[in-house]
């Protein structure tokens, strides 16, 4: 049985009524002595102020919410606590955070829980602690309210956007190294010369000129027209008077939208008359950023359904039908009450993995309801479906339906022909038509706009239909596997500046055109050029791995840094350990498949090379450098 009882009469964080005490939090971004991945680590003890319920009684209550925790053996309260943390930490969003570990300490137990966002994970720990204490006191606990607060906290983090999280999770599953660059506000995938950086579905290899061009809807529309592609008739205006004139000329119904915009903000479709156009113009005007001039598109509305065609690396990969938010009557509830009930559904929890967002109430909704002679206080007869807006805006509560397998061959060619004209990894093409199963050449098909930063959750997790693994298509553009995202890494537990330079020289003799980055506690180098060494040790590793010319990394990680900060990167191709202590042995724990591990203990040498082990003793006056330099060639 692990030591869980407090040997200190002084509480640290525990209240007088608490059974458990939790303290000394430490967050690691990457591998650490407790877990092979980023983790939050803390101490866990029993206070002895009150006697806890038996473990089996706690399990019986907790497993009502998390059935997977039932019928398992728990070595201690700490193990139950850790495994419950792992379940709660998924936040009922299906997050990939499932790793945990329990280690004994002299006066307490260390619990390590896989973590992506420190503030959210801390919240999860306090949440489970409060829940356990409430169970022990037989007290009420506002589980749903607290869980919703944690979900919102994660959603507001840099990892909480649906597209960002989907790509990050896919990278994790494919062993593609990924980390967030806080100063740049970008996500980096891969190391050194293999890496790419991006924001959601926009990457550093994309043409910023092409990306900007897609936001200029008028110019982009004219360009598509010159290519012979179907676009709606219309014009750009900057006054309400001109908008009315264009609408009269092309004929109602019309669509109104700002030239610069995204996510359907300020867009109104199916405008039927001048009164509606005045309201639509005001909404489009309000959506234009202050620094932008007034430029609003008025174009012919095409009847049909709203579809998004997605191309990745110039190839068609997915299609989704987007329907406006709607409610179905039950014969006694008002529309407002039906919206409130609909928004309570798990599918609308508005998390990074939810297929639908919450239905938003706004002026556009109320106006459209008035057109249908309805208000939010209207009671709908049973089974009557009412659409709440004209525009199929998913961020306002619309529904996505997978249409990938229904797309006509001509429409696939159309999407790919458009994508070929843009140096963009991802391109979303919004079209309106009766059905994608009919060729665009048959008419009644219009391209509404194209998007250089398309969201992918509608394809990955549609409200209706099968998932299309768009994140794999995107990351597969850059990396066939996790190995393709990596450069060789050699990790030492101790190495001097002189030895470091000798190792750099040895590598450059074999590869004179390479760029080698190296860091130890006393210096930072790119080849033999000495650079500024940051006080934050892991910042040095980030700057080296961020270097787009880096061919190989050499790094020192001694016990003090491993315990204080953990490692920045995951996995090494070669590990060299010189009389390592227990903490430093974790470097050998995290090696990649086919790696080389050299361990010196006194004069005894052990070399593991692709699973084969060789043991021998150093010769008299034989330097250790000779041993590991000879092995460097096995990984180059």
């Amino acid at each position: 049985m692990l030591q869980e009882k407090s040997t200190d009469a002084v509480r640290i964080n525990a209240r007088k009524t608490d059974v458990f005490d939790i303290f000394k939090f430490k967050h690691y971004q990457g591998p650490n002595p407790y877990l092979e991945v980023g983790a939050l680590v803390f101490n866990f003890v029993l206070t002895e102020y009150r006697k806890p319920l038996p473990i089996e009684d706690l399990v019986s209550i907790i497993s009502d919410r998390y059935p997977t925790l039932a019928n398992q053996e728990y070595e201690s309260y700490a193990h139950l606590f850790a495994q419950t943390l792992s379940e709660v930490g998924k936040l009922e969003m299906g997050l990939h955070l499932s790793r945990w570990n329990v280690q004994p300490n002299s006066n307490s137990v260390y619990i390590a829980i896989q973590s992506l966002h420190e503030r959210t994970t801390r919240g999860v720990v306090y949440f489970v602690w409060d829940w356990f204490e409430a169970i022990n006191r037989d007290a009420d606990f506002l589980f749903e309210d607290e869980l919703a607060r944690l979900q919102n906290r994660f959603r507001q983090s840099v990892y909480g956007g649906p597209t960002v999280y989907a790509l990050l999770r896919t990278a994790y599953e494919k062993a593609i190294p990924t980390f967030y660059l806080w100063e740049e506000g970008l996500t980096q995938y891969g190391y050194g010369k293999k890496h790419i950086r991006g924001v959601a579905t926009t990457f550093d290899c994309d043409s910023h000129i092409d990306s900007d061009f897609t936001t200029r809807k008028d110019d982009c529309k004219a360009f598509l027209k010159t290519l012979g592609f179907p676009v709606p008739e219309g014009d750009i205006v900057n006054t309400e008077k001109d908008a009315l004139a264009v609408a009269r000329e092309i004929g109602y119904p019309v669509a109104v939208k700002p030239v610069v915009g995204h996510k359907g903000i300020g867009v109104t479709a199916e405008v039927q008359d001048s009164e509606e156009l005045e309201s639509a113009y005001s909404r489009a005007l309000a959506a234009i950023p202050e620094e932008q001039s007034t430029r609003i598109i008025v174009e012919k509305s095409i009847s049909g359904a709203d579809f998004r065609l997605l191309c990745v690396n110039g190839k068609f990969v997915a299609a989704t039908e987007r329907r406006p938010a709607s409610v179905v009557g039950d014969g006694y509830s008002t529309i407002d009450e039906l919206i409130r009930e609909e928004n309570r559904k798990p599918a609308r929890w508005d998390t990074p993995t939810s297929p639908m967002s919450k239905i938003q109430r706004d002026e556009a909704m109320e106006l459209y309801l008035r057109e249908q002679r309805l208000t939010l206080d209207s009671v709908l007869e049973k089974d009557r479906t009412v659409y709440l807006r004209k525009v199929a805006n998913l961020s306002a509560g619309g529904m996505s339906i997978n249409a990938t397998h229904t797309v006509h061959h001509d429409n696939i060619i159309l999407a790919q022909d458009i994508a070929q004209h843009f140096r963009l990894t991802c391109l979303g093409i919004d079209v309106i038509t009766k059905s994608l199963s009919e060729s665009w050449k048959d008419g009644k098909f219009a391209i509404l706009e194209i998007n250089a930063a398309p969201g992918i959750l509608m394809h990955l997790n549609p409200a209706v239909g099968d998932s299309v693994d768009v994140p794999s298509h995107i990351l597969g553009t850059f990396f066939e596997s996790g190995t393709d995202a990596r450069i060789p890494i050699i990790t030492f537990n101790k190495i001097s500046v002189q030895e470091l330079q000798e190792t750099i020289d040895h590598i450059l003799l074999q590869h004179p055109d390479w760029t080698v980055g190296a860091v130890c506690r006393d210096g930072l180098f790119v080849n033999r050029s000495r650079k500024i060494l940051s006080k934050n040790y892991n910042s040095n590793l980030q700057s080296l791995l961020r270097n787009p010319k880096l061919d190989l990394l050499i790094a020192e990680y001694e016990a003090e840094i491993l315990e204080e900060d953990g490692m920045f990167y995951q996995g090494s191709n070669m590990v060299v350990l010189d009389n390592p202590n227990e903490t430093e042995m974790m470097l050998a724990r995290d090696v990649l498949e086919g790696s080389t591990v050299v361990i010196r203990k006194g004069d005894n040498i052990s070399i593991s090379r692709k699973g084969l082990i060789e043991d021998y003793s150093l010769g008299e006056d034989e330097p250790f450098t000779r041993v590991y330099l000879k092995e460097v060639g096995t990984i180059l």
Side-chain angles (χ1 to χ4, degrees):
M1 178 69 72
L2 295 175
Q3 171 64 46
E4 296 177 291
K5 295 183 179 180
S6 175
T7 57
D8 192 336
V10 179
R11 293 187 306 273
I12 299 178
N13 287 323
R15 296 148 293 200
K16 289 183 179 179
T17 57
D18 284 346
V19 172
F20 308 112
D21 199 2
I22 290 171
F23 53 94
K24 201 175 179 181
F25 285 89
K26 184 70 181 175
H27 193 268
Y28 296 96
Q29 181 177 351
N32 54 82
Y34 307 95
L35 214 55
E36 305 95 285
V37 293
L40 182 68
V41 180
F42 58 91
N43 291 64
F44 175 93
V45 296
L46 271 63
T47 63
E48 297 190 318
Y49 295 118
R50 295 179 66 248
K51 187 176 180 180
L53 289 173
I55 288 179
E56 55 270 22
D57 291 355
L58 286 171
V59 171
S60 68
I61 296 171
I62 294 164
S63 60
D64 284 343
R65 183 78 190 202
Y66 298 103
T68 57
L69 298 179
N71 303 318
Q72 294 190 40
E73 296 291 330
Y74 296 96
E75 183 180 336
S76 66
Y77 287 100
H79 284 83
L80 173 60
F81 194 90
Q83 200 155 344
T84 305
L85 281 176
S86 184
E87 291 299 313
V88 176
K90 296 169 188 173
L91 298 181
E92 299 191 3
M93 300 178 182
L95 299 185
H96 66 277
L97 309 176
S98 59
R99 308 287 292 277
W100 58 272
N101 188 28
V102 174
Q103 284 189 18
N105 188 25
S106 56
N107 295 321
S108 62
V109 174
Y110 287 123
I111 293 179
I113 180 78
Q114 185 176 4
S115 175
L116 186 60
H117 181 238
E118 178 181 2
R119 187 164 173 262
T120 299
T121 310
R122 276 180 178 260
V124 169
V125 173
Y126 281 110
F127 171 92
V128 173
W129 186 15
D130 287 343
W131 187 26
F132 272 49
E133 297 295 350
I135 294 172
N136 274 291
R137 297 195 310 273
D138 194 23
D140 292 334
F141 183 68
L142 300 175
F143 193 101
E144 299 296 345
D145 291 346
E146 291 300 308
L147 180 64
R149 181 176 58 81
L150 288 172
Q151 290 173 328
N152 189 55
R153 180 179 294 180
F154 182 77
R155 185 174 177 273
Q156 292 177 348
S157 76
V158 296
Y159 310 106
T163 296
V164 172
Y165 178 73
L167 287 167
L168 187 146
R169 176 173 184 154
T170 300
Y172 177 82
E173 291 169 348
K174 294 182 177 296
I176 296 170
T178 307
F179 53 90
Y180 190 73
L181 299 164
W182 292 94
E183 295 82 4
E184 301 176 59
L186 301 174
T187 302
Q188 178 170 323
Y189 305 88
Y191 294 150
K193 70 176 184 179
K194 301 287 189 72
H195 91 261
I196 58 164
R197 283 165 284 131
V199 178
T201 54
T202 302
F203 301 94
D204 58 351
C205 57
D206 292 339
S207 165
H208 73 277
I209 293 175
D210 283 354
S211 182
D212 177 69
F213 182 47
T214 65
T215 67
R216 301 185 343 246
K217 294 184 175 66
D218 53 338
D219 294 335
C220 200
K221 176 182 172 182
F223 172 68
L224 294 174
K225 188 174 183 180
T226 64
L227 296 174
F229 298 135
V231 294
E233 183 183 0
D235 207 346
I236 307 297
V237 300
N238 52 27
T239 67
E240 186 180 291
K241 180 180 178 181
D242 289 343
L244 291 164
V246 170
R248 283 195 300 270
E249 181 181 345
I250 63 178
Y252 291 96
V254 297
V256 179
K257 55 189 174 183
V259 169
V260 177
H262 66 289
K263 292 187 177 180
I265 299 172
V267 178
T268 308
E270 295 291 326
V271 175
Q272 300 292 337
D273 53 39
S274 58
E275 182 181 350
E276 283 189 35
L277 191 140
E278 290 171 4
S279 297
Y281 184 89
S282 296
R283 282 192 292 276
L285 189 64
I288 298 173
E290 290 184 11
E291 69 276 7
Q292 297 284 344
S293 59
T294 300
R295 303 180 75 227
I296 293 172
I297 296 174
V298 179
E299 63 187 17
K300 188 71 176 176
S301 262
I302 309 296
S303 61
D306 183 324
F307 294 93
R308 162 68 61 81
L309 304 173
L310 182 72
C311 290
V312 176
N313 196 26
K315 300 173 184 176
F316 168 78
V317 298
T320 298
E321 179 183 351
R322 300 179 294 186
R323 292 183 184 174
S326 63
V327 290
V328 179
D330 58 13
Y332 54 86
S333 299
T334 66
I335 290 177
D336 191 58
E337 290 169 338
L338 290 171
I339 291 173
R340 196 176 303 118
E341 188 63 29
E342 179 70 20
N343 281 343
R344 290 196 185 103
K345 293 181 178 178
R348 291 193 183 274
W349 275 353
D350 209 10
T351 71
T353 55
S354 300
M356 293 183 287
S357 298
K358 292 188 183 300
I359 297 174
Q360 305 295 323
R361 300 171 180 83
D362 56 20
E363 180 192 355
M365 174 192 288
E366 294 184 21
L367 179 64
Y368 189 48
L369 286 174
R370 284 202 297 272
E371 290 178 25
Q372 301 174 77
R373 301 178 181 273
L374 296 168
T375 70
L376 287 170
D377 295 324
S378 299
V379 174
L380 300 182
E381 54 267 32
K382 186 174 176 59
D383 297 329
R384 178 186 174 186
T385 298
V386 169
Y387 287 97
L388 302 174
R389 58 181 74 239
K390 294 179 180 179
V391 180
N393 187 347
L394 297 185
S395 62
M399 173 184 288
S400 57
I401 302 169
N402 181 23
T404 305
H405 302 300
T406 71
V407 185
H408 191 282
H409 183 71
D410 288 344
N411 299 335
I412 292 176
I413 294 174
L414 170 72
Q416 294 183 161
D417 283 348
I418 293 172
Q420 295 301 323
H421 286 86
F422 296 87
R423 292 190 182 94
L424 298 170
T425 305
C426 299
L427 191 73
I429 304 167
D430 294 339
V431 305
I432 190 164
T433 184
K434 180 181 178 182
S435 171
L436 283 178
S437 62
E438 298 177 9
S439 171
W440 69 273
K441 297 176 182 178
D442 296 338
K444 296 184 180 179
F445 183 108
I447 300 168
L448 301 179
E449 62 184 56
I450 58 177
N451 191 324
I456 59 177
L457 187 65
M458 70 179 82
H459 309 292
L460 182 65
N461 194 15
V464 178
D466 296 331
S467 170
V468 179
D469 190 3
V470 172
S472 289
H473 284 284
I474 294 172
L475 293 176
T477 299
F478 309 107
F479 315 112
E480 289 188 13
S481 68
T483 303
D484 294 327
R486 305 183 64 93
I487 59 173
I489 296 178
I490 304 174
T491 307
F492 292 80
N493 70 321
K494 58 173 70 78
I495 188 171
S496 67
V497 168
Q498 180 181 344
E499 292 166 338
L500 195 65
Q501 292 176 331
E502 187 178 348
T503 305
I504 294 171
D505 289 344
H506 179 81
I507 293 168
L508 292 178
L509 278 173
Q510 300 176 62
H511 299 278
D513 57 338
W514 275 20
T515 299
V516 177
V519 62
C520 68
R521 59 191 177 279
D522 297 320
L524 176 68
F525 299 86
V526 175
N527 289 351
R528 289 301 295 266
S529 177
R530 194 161 194 153
K531 305 300 180 183
I532 297 172
L533 183 68
S534 171
K535 291 181 180 178
N536 183 318
Y537 192 77
N538 277 338
S539 292
N540 299 300
L541 275 301
Q542 176 178 306
S543 66
L544 288 173
L545 292 171
R546 160 70 174 75
N547 187 329
K549 296 186 180 300
L550 200 72
D551 293 282
L552 182 141
L553 173 70
I554 305 170
E556 177 190 42
Y557 268 112
E558 58 181 349
E560 184 180 350
I561 294 172
L562 292 172
E563 290 167 353
E564 182 61 28
D565 300 318
M567 297 183 71
F568 181 78
Y569 55 85
Q570 291 181 314
S572 302
N573 300 87
M574 180 173 176
V575 170
V576 181
L577 301 177
D578 187 357
N579 292 298
N581 61 24
E582 184 179 353
T583 298
E584 291 166 346
M585 283 300 296
M586 68 164 275
L587 299 175
R589 176 197 71 187
D590 296 335
V591 294
L592 300 170
E593 186 177 354
S595 61
T596 298
V597 178
V598 180
I599 302 177
R600 173 190 182 185
K601 292 185 178 179
D603 288 333
N604 296 318
I605 303 294
S606 174
I607 301 176
S608 174
R609 196 185 301 109
K610 296 182 179 180
L612 297 175
I613 299 176
E614 177 185 356
D615 290 334
Y616 63 90
S617 297
L618 282 174
E620 188 175 350
D621 298 327
E622 181 183 3
F624 183 46
T625 54
R626 180 181 175 186
V627 175
Y628 62 74
L629 288 179
K630 179 172 63 73
E631 298 298 329
V632 166
T634 65
I635 68 158
L636 298 184

